[in-house]
Amino acid sequence: MSVDTARDDGFRTTTYRSGDGLALYARDYGPEITHQLPIICLPGLTRNSRDFHQLALLLSTDPATPRRVITLDYRGRGRSDRDANKANYNLGVETRDVISACQHFGIDRGIFIGTSRGGLILHLLAGMQPDLIAAAILNDIGPKIEASGLKRIRDYLNAGATPSDWPEAVTLLKACHGRYFPALNEHDWREMASAVYRDVDDRPVADFDPAIAAQLQMIDFDQPQPDLWPYYIRLAKKPLMVIKGEYSDLLSDETLAEMKARDLPLAVLEAPGQGHPPLLHLEPIFRHIRRFVAEA
């Protein structure tokens, strides 16, 4: 199974330049010219544009209101250049890269979907360039990250397990994440493998710069983490939906309750049978995303 098995005529590929000259990759789905707000999808820490393939196809071919959907590979992920300066794998630089992507595509206002780290980037974007955001969806992320969930991500990313073939890649993903995702079927796991891994000579290879995972080893969990609540308040002034995986260990019920208690408009949705982060093209989640996007 190759990552290219997910490709079809539903998207165009493009590269654009970051402010410091890296070639960054994106997929562009649906009509280039439309009166509807475009949707920009931001993946998680080590993930890439392929995570949103099924969602982007559904939104870009919607029979009532087809949308332009842009999905991004951050620097060091997927088909984007890796950065020689590993310190540049940080939220500030990656937020500026998202701004560069919007400039490249001529987007001055859009609906953003941020999964995990992508949602953290949206917090910073609300502070740096709030007019870009017409509405936003945070996928299993908020202004506070649970240390237990982050430690689990750190440990499995640095475990070093390398599959020898595609069936083993699926097996490894199920062994690592299966108890958090009872809702997924075999087809879903294969699609996840094709997003997580790149095909190199018929072998699956993790599709990100290992330096990104190594950075997690340097986090001191005994120290207070950055306070994103002021950024959240700015973000939540826009139409905002938060999706929480039923079995998520990164976004807690307590944080979600505090987000709702800020007396700002907030739509909250639980993804049944899923952990961190939920797959957004599965029902009933997609039905609610489609309605939120239409209303935004």
Side-chain angles (χ1 to χ4, degrees):
M1 177 175 59
S2 164
V3 295
D4 286 335
T5 59
R7 289 182 62 100
D8 64 13
D9 293 332
F11 64 88
R12 303 165 293 278
T13 63
T14 188
T15 56
Y16 60 99
R17 291 288 172 179
S18 66
D20 54 357
L22 292 186
L24 304 181
Y25 172 93
R27 288 181 170 188
D28 185 0
Y29 294 77
E32 291 187 73
I33 300 175
T34 174
H35 296 298
Q36 304 296 329
L37 286 170
I39 298 170
I40 303 94
C41 298
L42 311 180
L45 175 66
T46 59
R47 306 295 284 267
N48 57 72
S49 59
R50 299 192 300 276
D51 270 346
F52 297 101
H53 177 70
Q54 292 81 8
L55 176 69
L57 283 179
L58 290 169
L59 291 171
S60 64
T61 60
D62 186 282
T65 53
R67 301 261 180 173
R68 188 181 193 185
V69 183
I70 309 293
T71 70
L72 304 181
D73 286 357
Y74 307 135
R75 61 179 63 209
R77 289 81 155 180
R79 298 184 181 277
S80 289
D81 284 350
R82 296 188 177 188
D83 199 321
N85 181 0
K86 307 307 180 185
N88 283 337
Y89 295 135
N90 67 69
L91 289 173
V93 170
E94 291 162 12
T95 302
R96 289 192 289 273
D97 288 345
V98 171
I99 295 172
S100 294
C102 291
Q103 292 170 344
H104 171 81
F105 288 106
I107 294 171
D108 56 15
R109 192 163 175 264
I111 300 169
F112 287 80
I113 301 175
T115 291
S116 194
R117 188 178 183 90
L120 299 180
I121 288 173
L122 282 181
H123 281 72
L124 268 62
L125 189 63
M128 294 170 63
Q129 202 156 330
D131 290 345
L132 270 176
I133 305 172
I137 296 174
L138 297 177
N139 184 18
D140 210 56
I141 195 68
K144 180 182 178 182
I145 300 173
E146 294 305 305
S148 58
L150 193 55
K151 288 177 182 177
R152 181 180 63 84
I153 293 172
R154 174 199 64 188
D155 292 344
Y156 81 69
L157 287 178
N158 288 282
T162 303
S164 59
D165 56 29
W166 285 101
E168 186 178 353
V170 173
T171 298
L172 283 173
L173 288 176
K174 290 167 70 173
C176 187
H177 306 293
R179 68 189 181 100
Y180 299 99
F181 286 90
L184 271 57
N185 60 34
E186 194 65 25
H187 178 72
D188 297 326
W189 288 109
R190 289 196 299 269
E191 286 186 336
M192 184 186 293
S194 71
V196 171
Y197 298 99
R198 177 188 291 196
D199 188 273
V200 178
D201 299 327
D202 293 326
R203 292 173 63 93
V205 176
D207 207 5
F208 62 90
D209 188 335
I212 297 167
Q215 284 184 341
L216 296 181
Q217 302 279 38
M218 297 183 288
I219 296 176
D220 184 352
F221 289 98
D222 293 325
Q223 298 298 317
Q225 298 304 308
D227 182 9
L228 294 179
W229 285 104
Y231 296 96
Y232 168 73
I233 291 171
R234 293 185 182 185
L235 181 61
K237 291 178 180 178
K238 315 281 186 175
L240 181 64
M241 172 185 279
V242 177
I243 298 169
K244 181 185 182 299
E246 180 183 2
Y247 301 113
S248 173
D249 57 359
L250 209 74
L251 177 60
S252 69
D253 291 334
E254 292 75 17
T255 296
L256 194 57
E258 187 173 352
M259 293 166 73
K260 290 190 286 188
R262 295 297 173 116
D263 199 27
L264 295 164
L266 179 66
V268 177
L269 181 64
E270 183 176 87
Q274 298 201 64
H276 179 82
L279 304 183
L280 300 181
H281 61 281
L282 300 185
E283 293 293 3
I285 301 303
F286 174 71
R287 181 168 68 253
H288 291 278
I289 290 176
R290 183 175 183 269
R291 182 182 304 123
F292 177 83
V293 166
E295 293 173 353

